[in-house]
Amino acid sequence: MVALMTETTQGTCFCGAVRVEVTGPAVVQGFCHCTSCRRWSAQPFIAYAMWPSDMVRVIAGQDTLAHIARNADLTMHFCSACGGHVMAVSGKAGLTDVFPMQLHDFDFEPAAHVNYAERVIDMPDGLPKFRDMPERAGGTGEMIAE
């Protein structure tokens, strides 16, 4: 019997104390422009890449990994040593967003912008732009033209 190879990618927080590993391809990648993501990142938008939560694991620095509950469903994880953002876990969706810029040798391939109605900067890049979220993610699915 031949074992199938499963691709894994590792990443770290800013200082390297927390190390994570993701297995397999991200199920969705893109940019979020919502107020919460902007406040969390102190940036005009964030990049995201989500995996099924069982495909993400902390491989070092568990004792340094801190978190804050954004709401009953979303927990944001960061390094307590450097403050670097690591991931956000959605229990309801069963997905974990490991911030793609934290991953080493990861080919970030964004597919869309979400919560584009809340943007503070236009991004005319040809990607689909959802007013809020796609319907399958609980949004209206309404699009905004570039």
Side-chain angles (χ1 to χ4, degrees):
M1 177 177 235
V2 176
L4 295 175
M5 294 229 10
T6 302
E7 183 179 333
T8 61
T9 303
Q10 293 186 5
T12 64
C13 63
F14 183 68
C15 72
V18 177
R19 291 183 34 225
V20 297
E21 181 177 82
V22 297
T23 301
V27 296
V28 65
Q29 300 177 56
F31 299 106
C32 183
H33 298 265
C34 78
T35 302
S36 292
C37 284
R38 291 195 329 262
R39 287 183 179 160
W40 170 249
S41 68
Q43 300 296 318
F45 59 92
I46 67 154
Y48 63 86
M50 297 183 170
W51 282 264
S53 293
D54 62 350
M55 303 304 279
V56 177
R57 64 186 189 108
V58 176
I59 57 175
Q62 183 69 45
D63 58 331
T64 309
L65 192 63
H67 67 275
I68 183 168
R70 172 68 180 109
N71 55 43
D73 179 53
L74 188 64
T75 304
M76 314 296 274
H77 296 262
F78 60 96
C79 174
S80 63
C82 69
H85 300 173
V86 178
M87 61 188 165
V89 179
S90 172
K92 183 177 175 183
L95 294 173
T96 296
D97 174 11
V98 178
F99 302 111
M101 302 310 132
Q102 307 299 77
L103 295 169
H104 309 291
D105 301 319
F106 177 69
D107 291 326
F108 179 59
E109 297 177 4
H113 293 264
V114 297
N115 298 301
Y116 200 67
E118 297 180 46
R119 73 191 179 283
V120 295
I121 185 172
D122 290 336
M123 297 193 60
D125 56 9
L127 292 175
K129 290 160 177 71
F130 289 91
R131 175 171 299 286
D132 47 26
M133 299 290 281
E135 285 184 64
R136 69 180 187 278
T140 64
E142 185 179 341
M143 305 298 286
I144 294 179
E146 265 187 16

